[in-house]
Amino acid sequence: MMINVLVAGALGKMGREVCKSVISAGDLRLVGAVDVRGEEQDIGALLGGEEIGVPVKNDLEEELSQKRPDVMVDFTVPEAAAANAKTALRWKVRPVVGTTGMSAGEIKEITEIARESKIGGIIAPNFAIGAVLMINFAVQAAKYFPCVEIIELHHDQKLDAPSGTALKTAQAITAAREDFQQGMRSEIEKLPGARGGCFNGGIRLHSIRLPGLVAHQEVIFGGVGQTLTIRHDSISRESFMPGILLAIRKVMKLDKIVLGLESLLFE
Ligand code: NAD
């Protein structure tokens, strides 16, 4: 069965990659490309390939009503993502949302609308399968190595620190090791911040920002006479594509919105 896909944010860095991946997948068909930047040019040609008869449009609702896709993939901006997901649900289109920064209230509202109308979808802040596995492995390791610090490394255009993935890792490890207390309380920081940020009074998070990096993370566990390092590297935006394609296929069988790619990987 062919799955018809519309991409919102089609001219952005992620949107372009998603359009390319959908065009190349045998079981998916790109039927709509929406971006506020408009352009009206064919998305296939814009991406350096052949024309596919899909001009980039700037009115999401009109495109949804005319193209009637099965799935809408959203990589736009936090201010637009929630409204886009609600518009998609109104047209019975399954949202696959990668845009980060939606509020908890917005996510709750979207999941509620989807639950009532029995429409599947996913909201995931990280579609890199390796990053999701890294968190899963870290949770397993934390049961035997409760002392841990996290180093995350990103390109120097990233605005927020620490990364959402580092916070999610710390949260998952904290839940796994329960009330374990880590580290000395009377450390002296000669340079403020030298020991990184402290998550919930426990795990230290260190953020590195440099040109040349994409998105990387090391979770370093220390035990008696040994250390264990779990590392994930997103070398390019292509790293997110297998997870996004997996989500597009899997939401077709869902009747509610799930949060996080892990919900689809470890069902
Ligand atoms: P970008 O700025 O390159 O692209 C965003 C695009 O959205 C732009 O082309 C912009 O014109 C368009 N846009 C803005 N408002 C819109 C609207 N209302 N309707 C349609 N298009 C609209 O950004 P990017 O690097 O592609 O990242 C996009 C989002 O994806 C960010 O929130 C980023 O944090 C997130 N992201 C998530 C993952 C993940 O795995 N979930 C991975 C990378 C990036």
Side-chain angles (χ1 to χ4, degrees), residues 179-246:
D179 56 358
F180 177 78
Q181 288 297 316
Q182 180 177 342
M184 292 164 59
R185 279 174 205 178
S186 55
E187 275 182 332
I188 299 158
E189 251 186 348
K190 289 192 195 160
L191 192 64
R195 291 284 291 118
C198 200
F199 180 82
N200 269 356
I203 302 168
R204 297 278 175 175
L205 301 175
H206 311 267
S207 298
I208 291 171
R209 298 288 175 266
L210 283 172
L213 293 168
V214 182
H216 320 258
Q217 179 168 298
E218 280 187 7
V219 188
I220 308 175
F221 296 90
V224 180
Q226 59 186 323
T227 64
L228 170 67
T229 302
I230 302 171
R231 180 174 171 119
H232 175 256
D233 296 276
S234 270
I235 294 153
S236 75
R237 288 190 179 80
E238 282 171 281
S239 64
F240 301 109
M241 298 307 131
I244 295 168
L245 297 191
L246 179 140

Side-chain angles (χ1 to χ4, degrees), residues 9 12-14 35-37 75-76 80 98-100 124-127 240:
K13 294 183 280 298
M14 285 296 289
D35 197 294
V36 282
R37 286 191 252 168
F75 280 95
T76 58
T99 309
T100 53
N126 197 331
F127 275 106
F240 301 109

